[in-house]
Amino acid sequence: MSSMGSFQKVPLGIFGAAWFVVAAILGLSGVAFRSLLRVLFVLGLGTISYLAYYLSFRMQIGCIICFSAYACMIAATFLGWNLSGVEISKKSRLWSAGSALLALLI
């Protein structure tokens, strides 16, 4: 395993997968964890911004899987941020959480 693709010998992909799982769980919880969900979105965007910078400019390489994961996280953030600001139905929350889990599987 590359030292660039891991943190403390744990693959970085595990952290991304955990982010999507936590976002899906908080998305299903409704209004109870709205603020925590938005904090998670901001932390996720900050993290992928740094990772994209490091990959593109410091390592000077491109990774389609990495950039796809960044795109999924950005899409989940914008969708989740908009949905967390309004009262939505249970069916809509299930759609949102399902989308996050689908992004996790891709």
Side-chain angles (χ1 to χ4, degrees), residues 26-38:
L26 291 176
L28 286 172
S29 69
V31 296
F33 296 103
R34 186 177 295 167
S35 297
L36 184 59
L37 184 60
R38 287 188 171 185

Side-chain angles (χ1 to χ4, degrees), residues 50-63 67 70:
Y50 174 75
L51 291 174
Y53 158 76
Y54 197 87
L55 185 67
S56 299
F57 298 108
R58 299 283 304 262
M59 294 178 68
Q60 296 182 348
I61 59 173
C63 171
F67 290 128
Y70 303 158

Side-chain angles (χ1 to χ4, degrees), residues 3 6 9 15-16 23 29 39-40 45 62 69 80 86 89:
S3 63
S6 63
K9 297 185 180 182
F15 297 110
S29 69
V39 167
L40 182 69
L45 284 178
V86 296
S89 68

Side-chain angles (χ1 to χ4, degrees), residues 9 17-18 24 27-28 37 39 41 45 50-51 72-73 77 81 93 96 98 102:
K9 297 185 180 182
L28 286 172
L37 184 60
V39 167
F41 290 146
L45 284 178
Y50 174 75
L51 291 174
C72 288
M73 190 173 286
T77 297
W81 190 278
R93 279 186 276 153
S96 161
L102 179 63

Side-chain angles (χ1 to χ4, degrees), residues 75-103:
T77 297
F78 285 119
L79 176 66
W81 190 278
N82 290 332
L83 292 179
S84 69
V86 296
E87 185 63 36
I88 57 174
S89 68
K90 184 175 182 179
K91 185 176 180 180
S92 297
R93 279 186 276 153
L94 288 173
W95 251 132
S96 161
S99 299
L101 289 176
L102 179 63

